[in-house]
Amino acid sequence: GAVVSQHPSRVICKSGTSVKIECRSLDFQATTMFWYRQFPKQSLMLMATSNEGSKATYEQGVEKDKFLINHASLTLSTLTVTSAHPEDSSFYICSAKLAGSSYEQYFGPGTRLTVT
Amino acid sequence: AQSVTQLGSHVSVSEGALVLLRCNYSSSVPPYLFWYVQYPNQGLQLLLKYTSAATLVKGINGFEAEFKKSETSFHLTKPSAHMSDAAEYFCAVSVMDSSYKLIFGSGTRLLVRP
């Protein structure tokens, strides 16, 4: 149980285009999802907290207009990287918090974004 | 504010040897602490968690960690390393507000020598 999927697993896009990454909780409801960014050989940096039905809360230094987050249902959150540039290339990981739980988070397998 | 510090970006052990990965935390309130493992190009898998119950926590794959308040530590151990344990390990602390978002340490890469 408690499986989180991400789609796509890998994506290559051209500079200036937008790309959408989906995060789904497959067998549980998640009122809160988190989006992380991980650079090679580095730790995970929290980008934003996404709550179902409300606006996401972005961490300091994260451009909300560049990284659009939508959490339209209890099982789906999306991250859209708008007008992508090579410096946006990274590994993006989402996690979903079990509804009704204070701390149980389950992580997706990650999405490798490469911007050329 | 909560934070974690992982000492040692790389730890190398021989197969069969003791594994010790260090994590120290900072928190003004009783923390929730976690250890995660990450294999290359994959997400994170929870190894174990401390949520203010027993101070010695047992996790998956033979790992365990002990919460020591006096030392503000939550070190991860395994009595005998296996080649399959080679991975990146992250210690994390939960922010004790309504979000319970996680703050991660910098990670420790465990290398296991045959």
Side-chain angles (χ1 to χ4, degrees):
Chain A
V3 178
V4 176
S5 70
Q6 282 185 241
H7 177 78
S9 57
R10 291 178 177 268
V11 58
I12 300 173
C13 69
K14 292 187 176 181
S15 188
T17 62
S18 296
V19 60
K20 180 185 288 186
I21 302 170
E22 292 186 349
C23 177
R24 292 182 185 272
S25 55
L26 297 185
D27 50 3
F28 66 100
Q29 293 186 332
T31 51
T32 302
M33 291 184 173
F34 302 92
W35 286 96
Y36 298 85
R37 184 173 180 176
Q38 186 179 31
F39 290 105
K41 301 186 187 301
Q42 293 189 29
S43 187
L44 282 74
M45 297 298 295
L46 180 66
M47 299 174 66
T49 302
S50 167
N51 291 298
E52 187 266 339
S54 63
K55 290 184 178 180
T57 302
Y58 290 81
E59 295 298 302
Q60 191 172 8
V62 177
E63 298 177 61
K64 60 180 65 176
D65 293 332
K66 180 166 188 62
F67 298 100
L68 301 179
I69 291 173
N70 183 274
H71 192 162
S73 78
L74 288 172
T75 59
L76 173 64
S77 176
T78 59
L79 168 68
T80 301
V81 183
T82 64
S83 187
H85 288 91
E87 56 265 32
D88 299 324
S89 299
S90 192
F91 195 52
Y92 292 88
I93 302 176
C94 73
S95 70
K97 192 166 73 169
L98 195 64
S101 167
S102 61
Y103 60 84
E104 293 276 1
Q105 282 188 45
Y106 300 92
F107 284 80
T111 296
R112 173 77 59 193
L113 171 63
T114 303
V115 184
T116 61
Chain B
Q2 287 85 17
S3 67
V4 290
T5 301
Q6 291 184 243
L7 296 176
S9 59
H10 292 79
V11 170
S12 180
V13 300
S14 297
E15 190 174 19
L18 171 73
V19 175
L20 170 61
L21 304 183
R22 299 178 185 274
C23 174
N24 287 87
Y25 70 90
S26 173
S27 179
S28 57
V29 298
Y32 287 176
L33 295 162
F34 306 81
W35 275 101
Y36 287 89
V37 61
Q38 185 181 34
Y39 296 98
N41 296 309
Q42 295 186 28
L44 274 68
Q45 181 181 13
L46 179 66
L47 283 175
L48 47 79
K49 60 182 181 283
Y50 168 77
T51 55
S52 72
T55 56
L56 181 61
V57 181
K58 294 186 183 298
I60 62 172
N61 301 339
F63 284 94
E64 63 181 39
E66 186 171 9
F67 173 73
K68 292 186 176 180
K69 183 178 178 180
S70 61
E71 299 177 8
T72 62
S73 69
F74 190 57
H75 301 331
L76 181 71
T77 61
K78 182 174 180 177
S80 177
H82 193 273
M83 295 298 291
S84 60
D85 294 327
E88 188 85 20
Y89 291 80
F90 293 98
C91 181
V93 63
S94 185
V95 174
M96 305 304 276
D97 60 14
S98 58
S99 72
Y100 288 90
K101 60 188 178 184
L102 295 176
I103 305 298
F104 284 89
S106 54
T108 298
R109 180 165 297 276
L110 177 65
L111 306 171
V112 182
R113 305 184 303 270

